[in-house]
């Protein structure tokens, strides 16, 4: 697990807080993470509780601040949603994530990047670089340009 550090100077806006709030609200209403063999779906208590905890802990003031505890709640929800949590279903049992959910998740990533720092151990860094190299072979070269590196910065 990477070590997560929080910057004191968050430099986030009320709009950034609203992005997190919209994401938490959407997840709490539209996403499902419990699936039965008969094809039924439900929202687990854990997912509902995490979405509500994020909503309850947000600061909507003119100069918002996200405490490390609130940030951890946002990260926990984000990690849960990025796993086995879906908001699109078709008749044949296919589950997926809509572009709306993916866009909101990217917005939350962008906000978190402003004040969350990830430190990887040497073993984690080596594993991540191997994964990036493996995943990088599936990205068309013209999609990222010749002079850009497809790996996220750590």
């Amino acid at each position: 697990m990477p070590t997560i550090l929080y910057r004191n100077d968050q430099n986030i806006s009320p709009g950034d807080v609203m992005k997190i709030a919209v994401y938490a609200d959407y997840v709490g209403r539209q996403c499902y993470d419990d699936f039965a063999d008969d094809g039924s779906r439900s929202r687990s208590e854990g997912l509902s509780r995490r979405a509500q905890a994020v909503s309850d802990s947000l600061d909507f003031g003119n100069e918002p601040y996200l405490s490390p505890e609130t940030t951890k709640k946002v990260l926990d929800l984000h990690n849960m949603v990025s796993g086995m949590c879906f908001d699109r279903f078709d008749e044949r049992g296919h589950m997926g994530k809509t572009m709306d959910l993916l866009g909101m998740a990217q917005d939350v990533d962008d906000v978190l990047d402003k004040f969350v720092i990830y430190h990887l151990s040497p073993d984690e860094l080596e594993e991540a670089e191997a994964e990036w190299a493996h995943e990088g072979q599936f990205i068309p070269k013209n999609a990222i340009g010749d002079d850009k590196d497809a790996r996220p910065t750590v």
Side-chain angles (χ1 to χ4, degrees):
M1 274 318 260
T3 301
I4 299 173
L5 303 174
Y6 306 99
R7 295 183 186 139
N8 290 330
D9 178 21
Q10 297 181 7
N11 194 26
I12 61 171
S13 69
D16 291 335
V17 174
M18 187 56 69
K19 289 176 184 177
I20 295 171
V22 168
Y23 177 73
D25 180 62
Y26 183 87
V27 167
R29 289 183 300 105
Q30 301 292 326
C31 293
Y32 298 90
D33 64 335
D34 273 345
F35 307 99
D37 291 336
D38 66 0
S40 64
R41 62 185 180 258
S42 63
R43 193 168 299 106
S44 71
E45 176 70 25
L47 180 61
S48 295
R49 192 175 48 245
R50 281 183 174 93
Q52 189 62 50
V54 167
S55 294
D56 291 345
S57 64
L58 292 176
D59 173 4
F60 290 98
N62 289 332
E63 294 183 30
Y65 173 77
L66 298 184
S67 68
E69 294 80 23
T70 299
T71 303
K72 181 167 180 5
K73 291 174 186 177
V74 174
L75 286 167
D76 288 345
L77 178 63
H78 195 283
N79 288 336
M80 188 173 205
V81 172
S82 67
M84 292 298 292
C85 185
F86 303 98
D87 67 334
R88 189 183 93 213
F89 307 92
D90 70 16
E91 302 83 38
R92 294 177 289 188
H94 174 76
M95 300 178 290
K97 294 180 184 349
T98 63
M99 291 304 293
D100 288 342
L101 178 59
L102 294 173
M104 285 183 265
Q106 183 59 55
D107 288 345
V108 170
D109 273 340
D110 294 343
V111 173
L112 290 172
D113 283 346
K114 292 181 178 184
F115 56 92
V116 175
I117 304 167
Y118 299 92
H119 284 281
L120 301 176
S121 70
D123 291 340
E124 290 170 327
L125 185 58
E126 185 178 315
E127 183 179 318
E129 287 177 344
E131 185 176 325
W132 290 328
H134 174 73
E135 294 296 324
Q137 68 185 336
F138 301 109
I139 300 173
K141 294 294 182 198
N142 61 357
I144 58 174
D146 294 335
D147 59 338
K148 293 183 180 178
D149 190 349
R151 295 182 303 168
T153 57
V154 179

